[in-house]
Amino acid sequence: MSAFYRGYKALRHGRRPALYILCMAACAVVTTFLAPGDSTAVEEHGLISVDDYFSTGSAAAYDRNILTTRMRFDLTKINQDGGLSFHFDGRDRLSLGPSDYNSNIESVLIDTLNIQYSGQRYYLSVGRLRPKDLPIENVDGINVLYRPSALGMGFFAGSRPDPYTRAMNTDFLTAGAYLSYSKNDLASSLAFVHTAYKGGTDRQYLYGTLSYVPVNRTRFYGSVMADMNQTAGGLSPTNAIAELTYLPYDRMSLAAGYTQFRAIRYLRSMDFDINGTRQDAYYLSGNWRLGDRYAVYGRVERQSRYYQTAAAGTAPAHSNVLNMGLSADNLLDTGINMNLGASLTDNYSSRNDSYRMELSRLFHDFLQIVLSGSYMASNYEITKETDNVYSLGAAGYVFISRNWNASASFDREQASGYSTDRLMTRLSYRF
């Protein structure tokens, strides 16, 4: 694992080695006890990156400076048939400023830490994982999938990472079963999930997805989530997505869609109540490539928010949103790529219009420079107030080698009552 150690040695910041110790210990266990015989066939891939984020503003109580180190490591083809693998993805966050934005958030956050086996018919994963074919859940436990044909049957069980700290917490438990089907132009899944908190039901829901190509150049995608109402009984819709995409020819795509979202309610683990506010949206969008260099795109959307109020019951508020833009590659043979865009929003009691421009150029496949600017004007009917926000930004990306790259970006946001400056730098090593 020489590449892994080279990246670790090059990018470690020393003050917070917990993330590296955990990953290295897990790698040692996997390679020592699970890799039989000749280990030369084992493949290793990953990414180590160090990000520094700094922000200061006239309206901020203090400056924020956060150093985040991320490590992603995948060890595949551990055994002879190539089905065994190990996966790790974690972050180590260190506040360098006088105060952090939330002291309750753990500094080390582990998103993935598991061992997987994938065969022709069976799939098994143990550790911190997202169930295969059901990525919306996060589990510290086990996931098993049996797929003898196009139809697969799976289940998972374990504890759920604490939603506030991401730490392992056996007060949060989860289990679920699901079916998945994939053949030719049809893929679908249906799952039932049960979560518990301190021995009582916290949430139960159904989740289904469908991806289908009914005719050539046409694709439909849909998903729906419905919660079991723990007090009144029955099913209550929570979220839904439906989109139909049509490609008249290779350079054009058209889409029509609908979305519906509600806040998710946990019966026992939430010590506060949420209302029944719902947001619906209908939209039409399109993208048209004009020759080899230019493209136009647009989207028109109708949003409706249904607020639960004591006086009027359900009170709707509507918004109309128009997004449009033009992109150009190698503008006038200068090597400059350009993107112009506008977003016009007519809300229930206000209007927000924003305009943006971005220019980028790659120099000798080594350095990419990006310049950007935007302007947003807001008008509020009730208070008769207006607000103008300007933003300017610059970024540079240096491709040092196949494995190393670095970047830095700066942007300034200026409004009538405040100004904010943000600086972000990154150094990453990929192996």
Side-chain angles (χ1 to χ4, degrees), residues 224-227 235-239 260 262:
V224 62
M225 179 186 294
D227 279 57
L235 283 173
S236 301
T238 308
N239 298 323
Q260 181 184 121
R262 289 181 175 87

PDB file of all heavy atoms in Angstrom, residues 224-227 235-239 260 262:
ATOM      1  N   VAL A 224     -40.995   7.903  -4.841  1.00  0.00           N
ATOM      2  CA  VAL A 224     -42.031   8.311  -3.905  1.00  0.00           C
ATOM      3  C   VAL A 224     -41.684   7.772  -2.526  1.00  0.00           C
ATOM      4  O   VAL A 224     -41.159   6.662  -2.386  1.00  0.00           O
ATOM      5  CB  VAL A 224     -43.430   7.821  -4.353  1.00  0.00           C
ATOM      6  CG1 VAL A 224     -43.488   6.302  -4.410  1.00  0.00           C
ATOM      7  CG2 VAL A 224     -44.517   8.382  -3.455  1.00  0.00           C
ATOM      8  N   MET A 225     -41.936   8.578  -1.523  1.00  0.00           N
ATOM      9  CA  MET A 225     -41.746   8.187  -0.137  1.00  0.00           C
ATOM     10  C   MET A 225     -43.031   8.492   0.623  1.00  0.00           C
ATOM     11  O   MET A 225     -43.579   9.587   0.511  1.00  0.00           O
ATOM     12  CB  MET A 225     -40.572   8.949   0.498  1.00  0.00           C
ATOM     13  CG  MET A 225     -40.318   8.610   1.960  1.00  0.00           C
ATOM     14  SD  MET A 225     -39.029   9.667   2.680  1.00  0.00           S
ATOM     15  CE  MET A 225     -37.600   9.126   1.737  1.00  0.00           C
ATOM     16  N   ALA A 226     -43.516   7.507   1.382  1.00  0.00           N
ATOM     17  CA  ALA A 226     -44.751   7.671   2.146  1.00  0.00           C
ATOM     18  C   ALA A 226     -44.523   7.151   3.556  1.00  0.00           C
ATOM     19  O   ALA A 226     -44.045   6.022   3.748  1.00  0.00           O
ATOM     20  CB  ALA A 226     -45.908   6.939   1.480  1.00  0.00           C
ATOM     21  N   ASP A 227     -44.850   7.969   4.551  1.00  0.00           N
ATOM     22  CA  ASP A 227     -44.656   7.602   5.945  1.00  0.00           C
ATOM     23  C   ASP A 227     -45.910   7.002   6.544  1.00  0.00           C
ATOM     24  O   ASP A 227     -47.043   7.426   6.231  1.00  0.00           O
ATOM     25  CB  ASP A 227     -44.259   8.829   6.758  1.00  0.00           C
ATOM     26  CG  ASP A 227     -42.786   9.145   6.640  1.00  0.00           C
ATOM     27  OD1 ASP A 227     -42.303   9.339   5.507  1.00  0.00           O
ATOM     28  OD2 ASP A 227     -42.110   9.179   7.680  1.00  0.00           O
ATOM     29  N   LEU A 235     -51.135   5.794   5.494  1.00  0.00           N
ATOM     30  CA  LEU A 235     -49.943   6.317   4.851  1.00  0.00           C
ATOM     31  C   LEU A 235     -50.102   7.798   4.553  1.00  0.00           C
ATOM     32  O   LEU A 235     -51.178   8.245   4.133  1.00  0.00           O
ATOM     33  CB  LEU A 235     -49.661   5.567   3.545  1.00  0.00           C
ATOM     34  CG  LEU A 235     -49.032   4.180   3.639  1.00  0.00           C
ATOM     35  CD1 LEU A 235     -49.003   3.537   2.258  1.00  0.00           C
ATOM     36  CD2 LEU A 235     -47.628   4.258   4.215  1.00  0.00           C
ATOM     37  N   SER A 236     -49.045   8.547   4.756  1.00  0.00           N
ATOM     38  CA  SER A 236     -49.026   9.970   4.424  1.00  0.00           C
ATOM     39  C   SER A 236     -47.859  10.236   3.481  1.00  0.00           C
ATOM     40  O   SER A 236     -46.711   9.926   3.827  1.00  0.00           O
ATOM     41  CB  SER A 236     -48.867  10.823   5.686  1.00  0.00           C
ATOM     42  OG  SER A 236     -49.914  10.596   6.594  1.00  0.00           O
ATOM     43  N   PRO A 237     -48.115  10.779   2.284  1.00  0.00           N
ATOM     44  CA  PRO A 237     -47.013  11.054   1.349  1.00  0.00           C
ATOM     45  C   PRO A 237     -46.051  12.069   1.937  1.00  0.00           C
ATOM     46  O   PRO A 237     -46.458  13.041   2.581  1.00  0.00           O
ATOM     47  CB  PRO A 237     -47.728  11.593   0.108  1.00  0.00           C
ATOM     48  CG  PRO A 237     -49.048  12.090   0.607  1.00  0.00           C
ATOM     49  CD  PRO A 237     -49.419  11.217   1.757  1.00  0.00           C
ATOM     50  N   THR A 238     -44.765  11.834   1.713  1.00  0.00           N
ATOM     51  CA  THR A 238     -43.724  12.727   2.234  1.00  0.00           C
ATOM     52  C   THR A 238     -43.016  13.440   1.091  1.00  0.00           C
ATOM     53  O   THR A 238     -43.016  14.664   1.028  1.00  0.00           O
ATOM     54  CB  THR A 238     -42.706  11.935   3.069  1.00  0.00           C
ATOM     55  OG1 THR A 238     -43.393  11.171   4.052  1.00  0.00           O
ATOM     56  CG2 THR A 238     -41.734  12.873   3.762  1.00  0.00           C
ATOM     57  N   ASN A 239     -42.402  12.684   0.201  1.00  0.00           N
ATOM     58  CA  ASN A 239     -41.680  13.270  -0.921  1.00  0.00           C
ATOM     59  C   ASN A 239     -42.003  12.497  -2.196  1.00  0.00           C
ATOM     60  O   ASN A 239     -42.256  11.294  -2.148  1.00  0.00           O
ATOM     61  CB  ASN A 239     -40.165  13.238  -0.689  1.00  0.00           C
ATOM     62  CG  ASN A 239     -39.747  14.036   0.525  1.00  0.00           C
ATOM     63  OD1 ASN A 239     -40.304  15.084   0.802  1.00  0.00           O
ATOM     64  ND2 ASN A 239     -38.766  13.532   1.261  1.00  0.00           N
ATOM     65  N   GLN A 260     -42.534  17.083  -4.991  1.00  0.00           N
ATOM     66  CA  GLN A 260     -43.289  17.401  -3.781  1.00  0.00           C
ATOM     67  C   GLN A 260     -42.414  17.049  -2.579  1.00  0.00           C
ATOM     68  O   GLN A 260     -41.849  15.955  -2.522  1.00  0.00           O
ATOM     69  CB  GLN A 260     -44.599  16.615  -3.712  1.00  0.00           C
ATOM     70  CG  GLN A 260     -45.424  16.935  -2.474  1.00  0.00           C
ATOM     71  CD  GLN A 260     -46.673  16.077  -2.359  1.00  0.00           C
ATOM     72  OE1 GLN A 260     -46.851  15.353  -1.383  1.00  0.00           O
ATOM     73  NE2 GLN A 260     -47.540  16.138  -3.373  1.00  0.00           N
ATOM     74  N   ARG A 262     -42.032  17.391   1.832  1.00  0.00           N
ATOM     75  CA  ARG A 262     -42.450  17.724   3.188  1.00  0.00           C
ATOM     76  C   ARG A 262     -41.299  17.433   4.145  1.00  0.00           C
ATOM     77  O   ARG A 262     -40.424  16.632   3.839  1.00  0.00           O
ATOM     78  CB  ARG A 262     -43.659  16.881   3.613  1.00  0.00           C
ATOM     79  CG  ARG A 262     -44.976  17.221   2.942  1.00  0.00           C
ATOM     80  CD  ARG A 262     -46.061  16.307   3.500  1.00  0.00           C
ATOM     81  NE  ARG A 262     -47.381  16.637   3.006  1.00  0.00           N
ATOM     82  CZ  ARG A 262     -47.901  16.178   1.880  1.00  0.00           C
ATOM     83  NH1 ARG A 262     -47.179  15.369   1.110  1.00  0.00           N
ATOM     84  NH2 ARG A 262     -49.110  16.513   1.509  1.00  0.00           N
TER      85      ARG A 262
END
